Amino acid sequence: MIEIDGLTKTYGDTRAVDAVTMTVETGTITVIVGTSGSGKTTLLRMVNRLEEPASGEVRINGTSTLSVQPHLLRRRIGYAIQGHGLFPHHTVARNIAAVPMLLNWPHDKIAARVDELLELFSMDPVQFRDRYPADLSGGQQQRVGVARALASRPDLMLMDEPFGALDPIIRARAQDDLRRIQQKLGSTIMLVTHDMEEAIRLADKIAVMDAGRLVQYAPPAEIITHPATDFVADMVGDVERPLRLLSLIPVSQVVVDGPAEGAAIASDASLRDALSACLWTGRTAVPVERDGVPIGHVTLDAIRACAEFQP
Amino acid sequence: MMIVAPRRLALSAPGFLFAVLGLGALLVPFMTIAANRIVAGNGIMVWDLAAPAAMWPGLAAVVAGLLLGLSDKMTWARFAGAGLGLAGVVVLLMLGAPALLEGAGANARVSPSVGFWCLLGVFLLLAADALAGMAPGPLMRAGLLAMALGALAAVLWSGALDDLSILLEYASRRDAFVAATWQHLGLAFGSLAAAAAIGFPLGIVCHHQARLRSAILPVLSFLQTIPSLAMFGLMIPVLAWVGATVPGAQALGIAGIGFAPAFLALVLYALLPVVGNTVAGLAAAPEAAREAARGMGMTPRQRLWRVELPLGLPIILTGLRIVLVQNIGLAVIAGLIGGGGFGTFVFQGLNQTATDLILLGALPTVAFALTAAIFMDILVDLTRTMPEPADD
Ligand SMILES: Nc1ncnc2c1ncn2[C@@H]1O[C@H](COP(=O)(O)OP(=O)(O)OP(=O)(O)O)[C@@H](O)[C@H]1O
Ligand SMILES: [Mg+2]
C-alpha cells in the first residue's frame, strides 16, 4: 500500500503539485491523467524521491520513504522515464540488465531475464539483443525502456507515459501485456498518461490532476458517470461517455442463454465491441462464446441498458 | 528514344589547383647551395641539379602524381598519386644533394628550397584531400600513419639524405638531439599527465558544482590568454623564489630557469582544455539517460563511471588531443629558459643565423605534433561508442 500524504512541490511561485493525498492499494494499477503541465510527472518522481517534496510524505507499506537512502529506495522501484531514457552506449540487452546488474544478479539469470522480457514485448531476442538504442524505432525504444523498468520484478512500478510513442495496435497489445504481467505478478503500478482512453483501459483507479491538484480519484466507471468537476467531464468527453462506460463492462456480465445469428464474439470482449458488432452487421443480438464454446447471446437492448446514465 | 548525355571527364577542383601549384613549384629553385652553413645560398632549378638523364624518373613521378590527383572519382588513385609524388620529390632530393656537392668545397652546404617545400606541401594536401574522400576507419588510419612513419624512418635511416645540411647539423650533435628529443617529449607528455591528474578531478568536481564551475573556468581561460613568452618569463621569478625559500625544492631541481618553470607553464596552459572538456564531456550524456540512471538507483559514483564518463570520453579525449598538440608546439619555447627540448636548436640557430639548425628543432616538432594529432583523433574515434546523431 502506498500512502501519499499532503504531497506538495513548488518551483518558485508555481505549485507543480499541490497537497495531493491518495492511497494506492497493493496489486492495483493507478493511472494518473491530466493535461500537460498538470504535475503528473512531478507527483510520480516524488514517490521514488527523484524530487524531494516541499512538504508531505510518501509511505510504502507503512514506512516513510524518507527513512531509506534514496538510491536503495529506487532500486526497489521500477521506473520508466518519460521518453525512454535508454543509455545510448549500451546494447538493448545491457540496458534491460541495468537494474539486475546493480543488484548483482548472476549473469545467466540476467541473460535469461533479458530474453524473457524481449519476447514479452514481441521483440525477437536474437534480432534485438545486441542492437544499440539508436538502431531501434521510437516504439521499440519505448518498449525496451518499459522492459528495463520491469527487469528486476519490482513490487512497485512507476511509469511515465510508457506507451506514448506506440501506434494504436502495438499500444493496445502493450497495454494488454502490461495488464497480464501485472495480474500475474501482483505488482503495484502507478502510470502517467494524458490519454483518458488508456486510463480507462488499464486503471483500477484513476487520479485526475489539474494544475497540480488531485481533482478526482475514483474507479473508471465512477469517473465516467460522476465526474467531480467540469474539468474531469471534459477529460472524459461528453459524447464518448456511454461508449467508454460500455468498454468497461465484459460481455459475460449480460450474456443470456440461447442462440443468435451470425459470428460470435468472445465472452471477455467488452460491450463496446458487442455494440460495434451489432451495428456493423445490422443484428439485434450476437452470440457469445468462451474458448470457442457457445455460451449464449447478448442483445442490443441489454447493451443499451448498460450505456444509459443511472444517477 | 533514349538520350545519352555526353560523358564528361570529371576533374577534381582541388586536384586541378594542386596540379597548377605543383607545376608552378617546378619553376622555382628546388634546392640551394651555399659556401658554408651561415651564408645565404644560391637557388638551383630542378633540371640543373644533375644530368637530366638522372633526374627524369623523379620528375616523371612528380608530374604523374599531380596528374593522378586530377581525377574526381578514383580517390585511391589520387592517394597513390600523392604517394608517388612524394617519392619523386624525395628521389630528386637524394640525387640532387651529392651531385651539387661534387667539387663545391669542404664547407659547402645543400638544402631543400622553396620548390621542394611547395611540392611537399602540395602532395601532403593531395593525400589529405584523397583521404577525406576515402573516409577510412580508425584502424585503417592507424595503418596508414604507421606506414607513413615507417617510410620516413626508412628514408632517414638509409642515409640517402645524409648530404643535406640539416642532417649534417644533426650528425654533429647527435647526442644533444637525442637528449633534446627526450626532454621535449618529457615536457609535452609530462605536462599532459600532470594536467590530466589535476584537471580530471577538478573537472568532475566542477561538473557537480555549478558555483565552483563558474569560478574556475574563467580563471583558466585567463591563464590561456597570457602570451606564451610572457608565461614562461613569469615562471622564472616564481620558481626562483620557490627554489630559494621552500626547503628541499632545490634538491628536486626546482629553480628559476630550466625544466621546472617550463613544465609548470605548460601545465597551466593545459588546464583549460582538460577541465573545460571534462565538464563538457560529463554533461554530454542525454538528460533522460542521466535521469534514468538516477531513477534506477545508481549512486553518483556509478552514474559517473557507467553513464557520464563513457558517453563523455570522446569529448574528454578531444581535450587531451588539444593539450598534447599545443604542448608539443609550446615546449619549443622552453629552449629559451634552459628547459631543453627542440627549442634549444631553434634558439641556437636563430643566434647563429643557421637556418638548418632552426629546422633541426622545428621539423621534428611539427612531425611529433602531426603524429600526436592523428593518433589522438584515431583514439577519439575508437571511443565514440555512441552512434553519431543522424541529422547534424
Ligand atoms: N525542474 C523544474 N523547474 C521548474 N519548473 C518545473 C520543473 N519541473 C517541472 N516544472 C513545472 O511544474 C509543472 C508540472 O510539471 P510536470 O512535468 O509534472 O507536468 P506533467 O503533468 O508531467 O506534464 P506532461 O504531460 O507535459 O509531461 C509544470 O508547470 C512545469 O513547468
Ligand atoms: Mg510528464
Side-chain angles (χ1 to χ4, degrees):
Chain A
M1 186 168 73
I2 297 135
E3 295 161 275
I4 293 171
D5 189 358
L7 218 47
T8 299
K9 177 77 185 180
T10 50
Y11 290 112
D13 285 340
T14 51
R15 293 168 92 80
V17 172
D18 193 357
V20 169
T21 299
M22 61 193 270
T23 303
V24 174
E25 296 299 335
T26 302
T28 63
I29 298 184
T30 296
V31 177
I32 305 165
V33 282
T35 48
S36 187
S38 55
K40 309 180 294 291
T41 297
T42 310
L43 176 63
L44 202 68
R45 286 162 61 87
M46 281 192 286
V47 175
N48 64 358
R49 290 182 66 189
L50 282 171
E51 307 284 354
E52 296 294 352
S55 62
E57 72 166 1
V58 178
R59 287 181 299 275
I60 299 179
N61 298 331
T63 38
S64 164
T65 53
L66 292 172
S67 64
V68 195
Q69 277 188 301
H71 70 274
L72 296 179
L73 173 77
R74 290 179 202 137
R75 281 181 201 175
R76 291 190 348 227
I77 302 177
Y79 178 52
I81 191 172
Q82 186 166 5
H84 74 74
L86 295 178
F87 301 138
H89 59 307
H90 285 171
T91 59
V92 165
R94 183 93 193 271
N95 263 291
I96 296 177
V99 182
M101 279 167 75
L102 285 176
L103 298 173
N104 292 319
W105 283 20
H107 281 299
D108 46 351
K109 188 174 163 196
I110 294 181
R113 180 68 178 148
V114 167
D115 287 359
E116 180 188 344
L117 281 165
L118 281 175
E119 256 154 29
L120 206 60
F121 285 95
S122 325
M123 293 170 72
D124 177 19
V126 179
Q127 197 188 340
F128 286 101
R129 210 188 276 137
D130 297 319
R131 287 215 204 160
Y132 284 90
D135 304 330
L136 304 179
S137 74
Q140 289 164 343
Q141 288 170 341
Q142 207 164 33
R143 275 178 283 167
V144 174
V146 176
R148 179 171 70 176
L150 293 170
S152 66
R153 304 179 210 278
D155 296 331
L156 170 60
M157 264 175 303
L158 310 176
M159 313 190 136
D160 202 342
E161 304 198 16
F163 307 128
L166 304 186
D167 62 77
I169 293 173
I170 302 281
R171 185 185 181 119
R173 196 156 77 203
Q175 287 164 348
D176 290 344
D177 286 343
L178 184 70
R179 242 296 174 218
R180 206 183 59 236
I181 297 163
Q182 182 266 343
Q183 271 162 1
K184 202 170 89 193
L185 300 177
S187 38
T188 312
I189 295 179
M190 291 180 74
L191 184 146
V192 163
T193 180
H194 51 242
D195 175 7
M196 189 51 103
E197 181 93 31
E198 177 165 272
I200 291 169
R201 200 179 166 105
L202 281 174
D204 292 302
K205 268 178 119 176
I206 294 177
V208 184
M209 290 196 63
D210 181 20
R213 310 183 88 104
L214 179 63
V215 287
Q216 189 169 10
Y217 181 43
E222 193 179 327
I223 297 269
I224 296 167
T225 52
H226 297 91
T229 64
D230 290 346
F231 175 77
V232 180
D234 274 353
M235 285 293 294
V236 176
D238 273 344
V239 205
E240 315 230 16
R241 264 156 49 163
L243 294 175
R244 296 211 146 132
L245 207 51
L246 289 180
S247 74
L248 286 172
I249 307 170
V251 172
S252 55
Q253 206 169 307
V254 290
V255 67
V256 288
D257 286 339
E261 293 288 308
I265 65 170
S267 63
D268 59 356
S270 71
L271 285 187
R272 187 177 178 166
D273 300 332
L275 173 67
S276 178
C278 288
L279 294 179
W280 189 249
T281 54
R283 288 177 284 173
T284 52
V286 280
V288 177
E289 57 182 28
R290 176 179 290 137
D291 304 326
V293 182
I295 57 167
H297 71 280
V298 53
T299 63
L300 192 52
D301 286 339
I303 298 173
R304 191 185 293 136
C306 287
E308 212 165 294
F309 178 56
Q310 287 146 348
Chain B
M1 220 177 88
M2 227 167 58
I3 300 165
V4 181
R7 260 186 66 183
R8 245 182 61 230
L9 187 65
L11 276 190
S12 141
F16 184 72
L17 183 67
F18 296 148
V20 170
L21 286 175
L23 292 176
L26 288 174
L27 302 178
V28 294
F30 188 76
M31 295 181 79
T32 60
I33 178 155
N36 59 47
R37 62 189 283 261
I38 311 291
V39 298
N42 292 324
I44 311 285
M45 294 306 209
V46 68
W47 50 83
D48 293 333
L49 292 176
M55 302 312 285
W56 80 257
L59 266 176
V62 168
V63 174
L66 291 174
L67 290 180
L68 279 174
L70 282 175
S71 150
D72 193 27
K73 291 276 144 46
M74 304 177 291
T75 43
W76 267 108
R78 304 185 70 209
F79 190 68
L84 186 63
L86 284 172
V89 171
V90 171
V91 166
L92 289 176
L93 207 55
M94 270 166 26
L95 296 175
L100 283 181
L101 280 179
E102 226 168 71
N107 288 330
R109 292 293 184 99
V110 289
S111 313
S113 184
V114 194
F116 168 82
W117 295 117
C118 286
L119 281 170
L120 186 69
V122 162
F123 283 119
L124 287 179
L125 285 175
L126 175 58
D129 191 43
L131 269 181
M134 299 190 312
L139 292 180
M140 172 86 136
R141 293 211 309 271
L144 288 174
L145 176 65
M147 264 167 56
L149 291 177
L152 181 65
V155 168
L156 291 176
W157 238 269
S158 70
L161 294 178
D162 281 358
D163 288 334
L164 290 181
S165 180
I166 178 172
L167 285 167
L168 291 176
E169 298 287 348
Y170 163 72
S172 65
R173 39 177 79 70
R174 199 167 300 213
D175 292 340
F177 185 85
V178 172
T181 305
W182 287 119
Q183 282 161 348
H184 203 98
L185 295 181
L187 277 173
F189 282 93
S191 60
L192 173 76
I198 304 167
F200 286 154
L202 199 58
I204 290 170
V205 175
C206 282
H207 169 63
H208 289 294
Q209 308 205 336
R211 292 253 298 281
L212 191 68
R213 180 165 65 230
S214 51
I216 281 187
L217 286 179
V219 173
L220 296 181
S221 303
F222 168 73
L223 284 179
Q224 201 81 6
T225 62
I226 303 176
S228 46
L229 276 175
M231 174 77 101
F232 281 78
L234 280 174
M235 288 302 114
I236 296 178
V238 173
L239 284 191
W241 179 81
V242 172
T245 49
V246 178
Q250 222 144 27
L252 286 172
I254 296 178
I257 57 168
F259 191 81
F263 188 83
L264 186 60
L266 290 180
V267 171
L268 290 182
Y269 274 130
L271 279 179
L272 178 66
V274 173
V275 176
N277 280 50
T278 304
V279 170
L282 293 180
E287 176 69 19
R290 278 188 291 161
E291 278 299 297
R294 218 157 74 84
M296 67 178 59
M298 287 193 192
T299 61
R301 182 184 297 254
Q302 285 167 332
R303 295 204 301 272
L304 180 69
W305 283 105
R306 299 183 188 199
V307 181
E308 290 161 341
L309 268 182
L311 286 175
L313 204 55
I315 296 178
I316 296 172
L317 281 181
T318 304
L320 291 188
R321 174 201 188 278
I322 295 170
V323 168
L324 189 56
V325 174
Q326 165 187 296
N327 281 11
I328 289 175
L330 277 177
V332 168
I333 298 178
L336 206 57
I337 57 171
F342 294 130
T344 321
F345 302 132
V346 173
F347 291 109
Q348 273 177 19
L350 282 171
N351 282 337
Q352 305 173 2
T353 65
T355 315
D356 292 307
L357 188 50
I358 301 176
L359 286 180
L360 183 63
L363 288 182
T365 309
V366 173
F368 274 123
L370 263 180
T371 309
I374 297 172
F375 179 77
M376 291 298 289
D377 279 342
I378 293 171
L379 214 56
V380 170
D381 260 19
L382 284 177
T383 53
R384 207 185 294 278
T385 43
M386 182 161 65
E388 303 256 5
D391 48 344
D392 53 359

